[in-house]
Amino acid sequence: MPKDPDGNVKKYLYTQNREISWLRFNSRVLEEAADETVPLLERLKFISIFTSNLDEFFMVRVGSLFDLSLVSPDEIDNKTGMTPAEQLEKIYRMIPGMIVRRDQLYRIVSEKLEQAGICDVNMNSVDAAEKRYIQQYFRAKILPILSPQIVDSHHPFPHLINKALYIAALLHDKKENISLGLIPVPASLPPFLMLPGEKGRYIRMETLIKNYASELFGSFRTEDLCVLSVTRNADISFDEDKFDDIEGDFRTHMSELLKKRNRLSIIRLELSNEISGAFMKLLKKRIHVTDYQIYIGKAPLNMKYVFALEDELSGKDGGSLSYQPYHPRWPEDLREDMSMIEQIQARDRMLFFPFDRVDPFLRLLNEAAEHPDVISIKITIYRLASTSKIAHALCRAAENGKEVTALMELRARFDEQNNISWSKVLEDSGCQVIYGVEGYKCHSKICLITLRQGEKLQYISQLGTGNYNEKTNTMYTDLSLMTADPKIGLDGTVFFQNMLLGNLNGNYEKLLVAPTGIRSYLLDRIDREIQKGQEGYVCIKANAMTERRIIDKLQEASCAGVHVDLILRGICCLLPGISELTENIHVTSIVGRFLEHARIYCFGRGEDAEMYISSADMMTRNLNRRVEIACPVTDPDLRQMLREIIRTELEDNVKASEMLPDGTYRRKADGGLPVDSQVVFMEKSLHKEENRMAAPKQHHHGGIAQRLRDLFSHK
């Protein structure tokens, strides 16, 4: 058993490595592809999501461990005591079995799709007309832009682009000298070609080019062919998030790394099929990988094409191959013919995405843009939709003379360019765009609308768990609170003032603000529940839990008899159910049609419980190195709404899995009626929407209490 520097063994008995926990989460994504109740194209999409997740895992997390193994090889993981090399060894041992399972499911789903008329063909399975069409397309559209390359003693090995596809060939010249042939699959080409005739037959571009590879190398004889792709360490931004659990100085680590690392080194080689020993030996020599870094899969090496395929096939077979379209409702406690500002001033409101439409918030922004009493709008922006109605509302407000301030995070991973583009649009419209505090990502979700009514200032505050992105609002479960609470409004004013000044140590009356305010509050409230012993209760719903101090405090709470429910979609480094350590801790993970994204903190039971919604996960980066906000929920009806969300998700026995003491998961199954929490929310929402559409003039003034009884009650 490993020990920490102080010789402590116990601290590792109830924790697991974050990378291993993440791999177990991704396995649960793959489970959705095995679920026969999921439509076939959706099952294929889950395989694609699993594959893309794994790609990013190698680029970011495995890449960070390679970096760490260079600059600090003796650095130990504070959950397991493993060094970077030991973590890498465990990761590389675990992944092959996952790839085998992925390939099995890909074969099963592909066969079922073929029966439904959706077929990923190869050149051996096309008819004469299709073959002529492919040949014509290749000669006209593909051949002119191909760039075959010979790699031998006279030609240097080219730079292989991260995750690009290449056709690789083992070549022999007339003297039987061996060379390596490479054909990059041009990124400008579509990922697949739909074939003429009955809609549903297609050939992937790499399959098509591979078929013609032999004739592209002229006089060389082609002995062996495959599609290959390399994964590189993608840590080009030196993002401190990658070193979440390193307790030393990050900048020192990075300065050392710059001296030692092989920039963007290859950490994985993927091949589409088995190849000869001579070919493999040549690839290993040229690409500089070892056996444990090589993966041979039977599924496509890049599966991002699946989403475009679904768009191409939309409408086929009555849509039975995909989820039926879901249309969120307008919340029945809100009137469509009444001012949003007035309704929020009457009492707090909350939207529950994707089951509620985002329209009430959009209407609030548009109303604020025109309202004569509104003097300013301030908002934090982490991710925006590419065609953002929210951004357009902010621009119109600025053009109407309102003071609009947007705190824009330019380092939102993979959304950097989109945010840069929107920042220019906002500035051109007269908005003040600021970029937060150096070294700290602003991940908080707050919008503050200030009104001058007479001699008084009044506030409408919106605080949420998810991004201001209308696209993800239809795919992620999130919460959006809208309140006229003056104390929250004043806190919001102080927050934006602090951000303008770069002050991370502000004082707030009701809001909790990281990096200084959330973790200390959480630890204090868990301590309060510890004082209650067996009467204590803690529930945290979030995306992940890695923060060591929170983990240790929850373990202490379990030993005191406190009941702890954790609803964590992804990583959980805390192992539950370990006798005399974490036996009162229960961990649930839900993976379904919508990505679980809402964060709820609950301490205590009944009317005395303290309840917050938050932008922050229980991760070191969120609580230490990001600007996050948690907001109390005090309205009785909204508190009941949060309780019912928690209760329904804890009762889920269809899409929910429970973590076992060894860190693995098993599906919940209590033998009772099946409860799919997302379906419960959807069905109730659809039923209410139908009623509203059938009787559009009937407004439910009694409001949210009845909505909750209808929305969350079980048949």
Side-chain angles (χ1 to χ4, degrees):
M1 173 64 67
K3 297 181 180 180
D4 69 6
D6 298 323
N8 189 350
V9 172
K10 178 182 175 182
K11 67 181 294 184
Y12 299 133
L13 295 178
Y14 55 87
T15 54
Q16 67 172 328
N17 176 260
R18 73 168 275 172
E19 320 307 346
I20 301 305
S21 180
W22 185 91
L23 288 172
R24 287 167 172 160
F25 153 69
N26 205 30
S27 292
R28 297 199 304 285
V29 173
L30 197 58
E31 285 180 11
E32 291 302 295
D35 188 340
E36 295 187 356
T37 67
V38 175
L40 280 172
L41 273 176
E42 305 295 344
R43 292 172 68 180
L44 191 64
K45 281 163 63 177
F46 277 114
I47 298 173
S48 173
I49 293 168
F50 166 88
T51 302
S52 295
N53 284 350
L54 198 59
D55 291 344
E56 184 177 341
F57 175 77
F58 268 98
M59 288 187 284
V60 178
R61 298 306 307 179
V62 175
S64 74
L65 286 172
F66 268 103
D67 289 345
L68 200 58
S69 69
L70 290 175
V71 301
S72 189
D74 297 323
E75 188 81 49
I76 63 168
D77 167 36
N78 67 2
K79 314 300 189 311
T80 60
M82 290 192 293
T83 65
E86 290 169 337
Q87 293 177 67
L88 286 168
E89 181 185 358
K90 194 163 186 177
I91 289 168
Y92 279 118
R93 284 205 312 266
M94 188 171 177
I95 289 177
M98 298 171 66
I99 299 300
V100 169
R101 178 60 173 155
R102 190 271 312 269
D103 290 349
Q104 290 173 341
L105 288 171
Y106 177 76
R107 176 182 56 78
I108 292 170
V109 172
S110 295
E111 289 174 355
K112 291 181 178 294
L113 280 169
E114 187 171 354
Q115 294 170 10
I118 310 300
C119 187
D120 179 0
V121 305
N122 57 47
M123 294 301 290
N124 294 326
S125 60
V126 297
D127 60 29
E130 290 173 333
K131 188 173 184 179
R132 285 194 300 272
Y133 179 79
I134 292 171
Q135 288 175 335
Q136 292 171 359
Y137 186 91
F138 177 78
R139 302 297 177 192
K141 304 290 186 180
I142 300 176
L143 183 59
I145 61 173
L146 292 182
S147 302
Q149 303 170 55
I150 304 295
V151 181
D152 56 23
S153 58
H154 302 290
H155 300 83
F157 191 80
H159 176 79
L160 300 182
I161 298 172
N162 182 42
K163 283 306 298 177
L165 298 180
Y166 296 84
I167 311 303
L170 183 65
L171 305 176
H172 296 261
D173 63 15
K174 294 179 180 179
K175 296 181 179 180
E176 290 302 312
N177 295 314
I178 293 177
S179 300
L180 174 63
L182 288 174
I183 308 170
V185 177
S188 60
L189 291 174
F192 56 84
L193 174 66
M194 297 300 301
L195 299 182
E198 184 179 352
K199 189 175 182 180
R201 289 172 61 80
Y202 65 96
I203 183 169
R204 283 181 285 115
M205 200 55 57
E206 65 268 28
T207 305
L208 195 163
I209 295 173
K210 181 182 175 183
N211 178 72
Y212 292 95
S214 295
E215 63 185 73
L216 295 173
F217 290 110
S219 61
F220 287 88
R221 177 173 60 85
T222 303
E223 178 185 334
D224 213 345
L225 281 169
C226 71
V227 182
L228 69 78
S229 178
V230 300
T231 307
R232 292 180 177 274
N233 180 352
D235 180 28
I236 58 174
S237 63
F238 308 125
D239 189 344
E240 64 267 27
D241 289 357
K242 290 161 57 65
F243 294 91
D244 281 347
D245 300 310
I246 302 307
E247 296 172 356
D249 178 60
F250 165 74
R251 286 179 175 80
T252 300
H253 280 296
M254 292 313 303
S255 63
E256 290 296 319
L257 175 60
L258 289 173
K259 299 174 185 177
K260 296 185 178 182
R261 71 183 301 187
N262 177 13
R263 182 176 179 271
L264 297 179
S265 57
I266 292 174
I267 54 178
R268 179 178 60 162
L269 169 63
E270 295 177 280
L271 305 176
S272 63
N273 50 266
E274 297 283 352
I275 57 177
S276 66
F279 195 6
M280 181 67 78
K281 182 178 179 180
L282 181 59
L283 287 178
K284 287 163 63 175
K285 178 182 178 181
R286 289 291 188 174
I287 298 177
H288 304 294
V289 289
T290 56
D291 289 338
Y292 67 85
Q293 294 176 301
I294 300 171
Y295 295 89
I296 300 173
K298 298 180 180 178
L301 302 187
N302 188 328
M303 293 194 64
K304 292 181 179 180
Y305 73 89
V306 171
F307 294 88
L309 178 66
E310 184 185 40
D311 292 339
E312 185 74 32
L313 298 173
S314 60
K316 180 178 173 59
D317 197 25
S320 62
L321 300 178
S322 298
Y323 289 127
Q324 291 299 306
Y326 176 70
H327 304 288
R329 73 180 184 287
W330 178 278
E332 287 160 328
D333 61 309
L334 286 170
R335 291 181 55 168
E336 294 185 69
D337 60 350
M338 183 176 175
S339 159
M340 281 299 302
I341 290 176
E342 291 178 11
Q343 293 185 81
I344 296 167
Q345 287 175 331
R347 71 171 184 273
D348 293 355
R349 313 289 175 152
M350 186 180 291
L351 303 177
F352 183 23
F353 303 134
F355 315 106
D356 291 334
R357 284 156 58 181
V358 72
D359 298 61
F361 177 64
L362 292 173
R363 185 169 295 187
L364 171 64
L365 280 183
N366 286 317
E367 182 182 340
E370 306 289 343
H371 200 293
D373 293 341
V374 171
I375 59 175
S376 72
I377 302 173
K378 296 179 172 66
I379 190 170
T380 58
I381 295 175
Y382 194 73
R383 299 187 196 276
L384 286 173
S386 57
T387 55
S388 173
K389 295 179 181 179
I390 291 171
H392 286 301
L394 296 172
C395 291
R396 190 166 69 258
E399 291 163 357
N400 288 341
K402 315 296 183 186
E403 178 194 339
V404 179
T405 301
L407 199 169
M408 179 78 75
E409 179 52 67
L410 295 183
R411 295 174 298 166
R413 183 176 290 150
F414 305 127
D415 266 11
E416 295 90 343
Q417 186 55 54
N418 186 53
N419 283 5
I420 290 170
S421 299
W422 273 118
S423 68
K424 295 176 181 177
V425 172
L426 291 167
E427 286 181 333
D428 289 344
S429 297
C431 301
Q432 180 185 15
V433 179
I434 60 176
Y435 300 107
V437 181
E438 184 178 358
Y440 291 83
K441 283 188 179 181
C442 185
H443 190 250
S444 55
K445 327 294 181 189
I446 180 172
C447 178
L448 177 67
I449 299 169
T450 304
L451 305 90
R452 178 178 286 120
Q453 296 181 328
E455 296 297 318
K456 295 182 178 180
L457 294 180
Q458 295 189 350
Y459 305 98
I460 299 293
S461 306
Q462 181 277 336
L463 298 107
T465 66
N467 297 304
Y468 296 108
N469 186 323
E470 302 94 309
K471 182 177 180 180
T472 56
N473 289 153
T474 66
M475 299 184 293
Y476 295 5
T477 70
D478 271 309
L479 294 161
S480 175
L481 173 68
M482 297 176 288
T483 178
D485 185 321
K487 293 183 179 179
I488 290 178
L490 285 171
D491 276 356
T493 300
V494 173
F495 171 80
F496 281 102
Q497 290 172 347
N498 285 331
M499 291 301 100
L500 283 164
L501 297 173
N503 178 19
L504 298 173
N505 299 301
N507 294 316
Y508 305 92
E509 184 169 350
K510 299 192 76 170
L511 297 181
L512 308 175
V513 180
T516 59
I518 294 182
R519 185 178 59 205
S520 58
Y521 167 85
L522 294 173
L523 294 173
D524 178 72
R525 291 311 183 269
I526 298 172
D527 273 331
R528 289 193 182 189
E529 296 307 305
I530 288 173
Q531 297 304 313
K532 300 177 186 177
Q534 294 183 0
E535 299 301 315
Y537 180 69
V538 174
C539 179
I540 296 175
K541 172 177 167 59
N543 293 312
M545 177 168 291
T546 68
E547 167 55 31
R548 182 78 222 199
R549 275 164 282 192
I550 299 295
I551 288 172
D552 290 341
K553 186 59 69 175
L554 289 172
Q555 185 270 332
E556 182 183 343
S558 175
C559 289
V562 177
H563 185 98
V564 179
D565 282 321
L566 303 177
I567 306 174
L568 303 169
R569 171 176 55 89
I571 300 168
C572 180
C573 293
L574 172 57
L575 297 173
I578 297 176
S579 179
E580 299 183 359
L581 289 172
T582 59
E583 57 192 352
N584 291 311
I585 297 175
H586 310 271
V587 179
T588 296
S589 175
I590 297 172
V591 177
R593 173 175 180 173
F594 303 117
L595 185 142
E596 291 290 332
H597 196 254
R599 290 94 165 186
I600 303 171
Y601 311 154
C602 178
F603 302 95
R605 302 180 188 272
E607 299 303 316
D608 294 331
E610 295 187 49
M611 307 186 80
Y612 280 72
I613 64 169
S614 177
S615 62
D617 289 316
M618 299 293 101
M619 301 183 74
T620 307
R621 69 183 185 194
N622 296 92
L623 302 181
N624 287 8
R625 293 194 294 276
R626 287 189 176 184
V627 178
E628 307 271 12
I629 291 181
C631 178
V633 177
T634 57
D635 180 272
D637 288 334
L638 299 187
R639 287 162 59 83
Q640 178 62 17
M641 183 178 183
L642 295 183
R643 278 192 286 266
E644 292 294 343
I645 292 172
I646 289 170
R647 178 182 65 80
T648 305
E649 293 198 346
L650 290 174
E651 289 179 355
D652 193 316
N653 56 11
V654 175
K655 295 299 183 182
S657 299
E658 59 183 345
M659 182 185 281
L660 303 178
D662 63 357
T664 61
Y665 286 82
R666 69 181 175 197
R667 286 293 181 106
K668 284 188 175 181
D670 57 10
L673 293 174
V675 177
D676 182 333
S677 57
Q678 293 184 356
V679 170
V680 169
F681 302 144
M682 275 196 297
E683 287 182 344
K684 300 304 179 182
S685 302
L686 286 169
H687 174 69
K688 301 300 286 188
E689 178 72 7
E690 290 167 1
N691 282 349
R692 190 186 68 80
M693 294 297 290
K697 295 183 180 179
Q698 296 180 14
H699 298 291
H700 300 267
H701 302 288
I704 198 164
Q706 181 62 43
R707 171 185 164 202
L708 285 167
R709 285 193 291 272
D710 293 342
L711 178 60
F712 296 110
S713 62
H714 294 285
K715 296 179 181 179

